[in-house]
Amino acid sequence: MSHIMSSKQNMKIDTRNTSIQNFYAGQSVFITGGTGFLGKVLIEKLLRSCSDIKAIYLLMRSKKDKSPESRLDEMFNSILYDRVRVEEPNFRKKIVPIMGDLEIEDLGLSKNDKDILIHNKISIIFHVAAIVRFQEKFKVPTIINVNSTDIILNIAKRMPNLK
């Protein structure tokens, strides 16, 4: 019995938490599409329900009139995040914006940002970015929905801690 307890302690399992909360405890997550509809809901749920999550690396496109911080401010000031702001007031410290763009070769990631993703112990990836406006030229949805997935898979292969 003591062997079981010590191995549970080594794995940071808290019997008061759910298995999902235990899975995410201490983990770093990389999310594409986090500023879209599904991504915002995913981020809110992770921050609220898995408060022991270490960090969320969020791929964001640059906007000429807004900095990543101002875009995050707008996003996190929405009603969706009201409960998180109350229950986890320091949640913003867990959000790490990574500038990139799915339409650009190699996701537009700098070498430094790619190294951050690969070597910062990312263990979970949610690739929820996609273009759903199919009136676009065929090339754009293909680049975003197919090529970016291939690039993310190739980056994931180099992540030693990926679950």
Side-chain angles (χ1 to χ4, degrees):
M1 180 73 137
S2 65
H3 174 69
I4 293 170
M5 292 300 283
S6 67
S7 85
K8 279 187 177 181
Q9 289 169 344
N10 289 340
M11 294 183 342
K12 297 181 181 178
I13 292 177
D14 184 343
T15 55
R16 295 168 295 186
N17 288 337
T18 68
S19 60
I20 292 172
Q21 289 167 320
N22 286 326
F23 177 80
Y24 283 99
Q27 303 301 313
S28 293
V29 178
F30 174 52
I31 299 175
T32 68
T35 59
F37 177 76
L38 288 177
K40 289 176 186 175
V41 174
L42 171 64
I43 292 168
E44 189 278 339
K45 183 68 172 175
L46 287 172
L47 290 169
R48 182 173 45 82
S49 299
C50 302
S51 60
D52 292 332
I53 202 164
K54 182 178 177 184
I56 297 175
Y57 292 82
L58 182 58
L59 185 72
M60 297 179 67
R61 284 182 295 177
S62 60
K63 299 269 185 164
K64 56 185 167 194
D65 58 334
K66 293 183 184 176
S67 71
E69 287 305 316
S70 68
R71 290 184 66 207
L72 286 174
D73 287 342
E74 280 181 20
M75 184 171 103
F76 291 130
N77 283 331
S78 78
I79 193 169
L80 174 64
Y81 294 93
D82 284 353
R83 187 170 167 192
V84 173
R85 284 193 300 275
V86 171
E87 294 177 9
E88 299 294 330
N90 295 318
F91 75 90
R92 281 293 296 270
K93 293 178 181 177
K94 296 179 181 187
I95 306 297
V96 181
I98 300 286
M99 298 313 295
D101 189 328
L102 299 181
E103 286 189 65
I104 300 174
E105 182 180 340
D106 250 357
L107 306 180
L109 294 171
S110 69
K111 181 183 178 341
N112 185 51
D113 284 342
K114 206 181 296 183
D115 287 344
I116 287 170
L117 291 174
I118 292 168
H119 301 296
N120 268 5
K121 301 185 179 177
I122 301 290
S123 50
I124 301 155
I125 298 173
F126 286 97
H127 178 40
V128 295
I131 192 163
V132 292
R133 294 180 314 274
F134 294 107
Q135 299 82 6
E136 300 276 341
K137 293 180 182 177
F138 187 70
K139 183 177 180 180
V140 174
T142 301
I143 289 169
I144 292 176
N145 296 347
V146 178
N147 295 3
S148 67
T149 303
D150 183 52
I151 294 165
I152 289 171
L153 286 170
N154 285 321
I155 291 170
K157 288 177 188 176
R158 297 172 44 205
M159 293 177 167
N161 300 303
L162 197 62
K163 292 185 174 195

